[in-house]
Amino acid sequence: MNFLPFSRLLGKILGFFWLLLLIPLLAHAQTTLYSTLDDYLRIQTQGLPGKVTYSIGQLDARTQLSECSAFEPFLPAGSKLWGNSTVGVRCLGPSNWTIYVPVKVNVSGNYLISARTMPAGYVISAADIVVRSGDLSTLPANIITDQAQAIGKTVKNGFAAGQPLRSDLLIAPWAVQQGQNVKTVSNGPGFSVSSEGKALNNALAGQLVQVRTSSGQTVSGIARAGGIVEVSN
């Protein structure tokens, strides 16, 4: 019968007991990691529309995490917390490592679809849209969830009936149109001056527009709804 030398036998016994001590530490590290990720996702998804639920995927069973006392979650470049995604986690010490954890973010809420076919140039009214409910994370980007974001806007390329409405496919109405009679307003400390003029270009609300005043002078200002142009001093 062959026996292991005492030194090798002692090494195996110590290694076994060290593993027994290490397993609870690793389990605690993973528990702390998932708790940190849960806090991160809860905070980062608070601004999303609708009801948000999320789940954190499991790490690969072969992943070995050395001791870590502080974690820093982050969103990798090009990623967003929407549908299937990934969150990175850095260990800030005493070890130095980075891992990537799969997550899934579901957002249940209302969204708008077209009630009928709408060609390019069509101006949307309340009768042209229908409210639906579902998981927004499975729908196209820039989905519209509020009727106020669609009513009064112009269709850019056309919508088929039943198609989800997207903000990037709608054009806001002109606040000021070329040739329109407008009112220029200049405000300052203790005074307000207004005059009439004619817009020389189209502009959305907040955009720059040039106006020729009744005296023939050309001034620039910021277009506002209702044919108002704010002129700075």
Side-chain angles (χ1 to χ4, degrees), residues 180-205:
Q180 177 184 349
N181 291 325
V182 297
K183 181 180 179 180
T184 62
V185 178
S186 179
N187 297 313
F191 74 89
S192 178
V193 178
S194 63
S195 63
E196 303 296 325
K198 183 167 291 188
L200 300 180
N201 61 281
N202 298 325
L204 300 174

Side-chain angles (χ1 to χ4, degrees), residues 14-78:
L14 291 176
F16 176 74
F17 280 105
W18 170 247
L19 181 62
L20 290 180
L21 292 173
L22 184 60
I23 289 175
L25 292 175
L26 294 176
H28 175 71
Q30 289 210 16
T31 300
T32 305
L33 169 64
Y34 278 92
S35 176
T36 302
L37 274 173
D38 183 73
D39 290 340
Y40 176 79
L41 290 170
R42 176 174 47 80
I43 293 171
Q44 295 298 317
T45 59
Q46 284 179 353
L48 297 178
K51 181 180 179 181
V52 178
T53 58
Y54 55 81
S55 58
I56 303 172
Q58 295 295 318
L59 294 176
D60 190 302
R62 295 167 296 182
T63 302
Q64 298 294 324
L65 300 180
S66 52
E67 182 183 357
C68 186
S69 59
F71 301 103
E72 181 186 46
F74 65 94
L75 200 59

